[in-house]
Amino acid sequence: MFKKIIVPVDISVLDKGLDILTKASELLDPAGEIVLLHVVEEIPSYLAIDVPVDLMDSAVNDARDKLQELRARAKVDAEIELRTGPPAREILASAKAHKADLILVASHRPDFSNYLIGSTADRVVRHAACSVLVRR
């Protein structure tokens, strides 16, 4: 059983998020905590001039709403955390800040592009200081 589980969710695939959040609740110590995390990627500076000023605020608010909906669907007590930046870096930073003992991350089936640039899950597995469970 794990005392602190980080569950990073890509809000564009909430079904996978529901699956890993449910699995996290099964692996959680009775006195443990789940942190439901979404990372909003920053807009590259060369594009920032062409997008509405409130785009990032809208993305964060949308993510918060979807995570609250996901938490309610799963019927799991979880803290919601939103971060901005590169996803793998922010997932690892969240795990470190919360002193997590598990990161439970969803992944898709790897294809050729994963071997060239790597996916977020690959980066998290390679650099995490705690256990990582990758769900497919």
Side-chain angles (χ1 to χ4, degrees):
M1 301 305 264
F2 296 94
K3 294 189 185 299
K4 183 73 85 159
I5 303 175
I6 305 295
V7 181
V9 173
D10 178 353
I11 60 169
S12 67
V13 273
L14 284 178
D15 288 340
K16 282 190 176 188
L18 182 60
D19 176 55
I20 62 173
L21 184 56
T22 302
K23 186 63 177 176
S25 70
E26 294 168 5
L27 297 172
L28 189 64
D29 186 80
E33 296 178 63
I34 295 174
V35 176
L36 187 57
L37 170 69
H38 177 71
V39 180
V40 178
E41 291 190 66
E42 294 173 331
I43 300 168
S45 59
Y46 62 88
L47 293 176
I49 198 162
D50 293 329
V51 297
V53 175
D54 64 341
L55 182 68
M56 287 300 287
D57 292 337
S58 295
V60 168
N61 291 334
D62 182 49
R64 182 177 293 109
D65 292 345
K66 288 185 177 177
L67 290 181
Q68 289 171 343
E69 175 187 321
L70 178 64
R71 181 175 62 183
R73 279 180 55 201
K75 298 181 180 127
V76 172
D77 185 28
E79 174 186 339
I80 291 177
E81 181 176 2
L82 296 162
R83 290 176 169 253
T84 58
R89 183 188 76 193
E90 294 303 323
I91 292 167
L92 295 168
S94 177
K96 184 177 180 180
H98 290 283
K99 297 181 174 111
D101 50 354
L102 178 66
I103 301 170
L104 203 160
V105 63
S107 180
H108 57 80
R109 296 262 178 224
D111 60 15
F112 186 67
S113 67
N114 293 105
Y115 298 106
L116 296 176
I117 60 171
S119 70
T120 298
D122 294 334
R123 290 183 188 105
V124 169
V125 167
R126 280 195 303 266
H127 300 287
C130 63
S131 297
V132 179
L133 175 61
V134 179
R135 244 345 236 188
R136 293 204 181 185

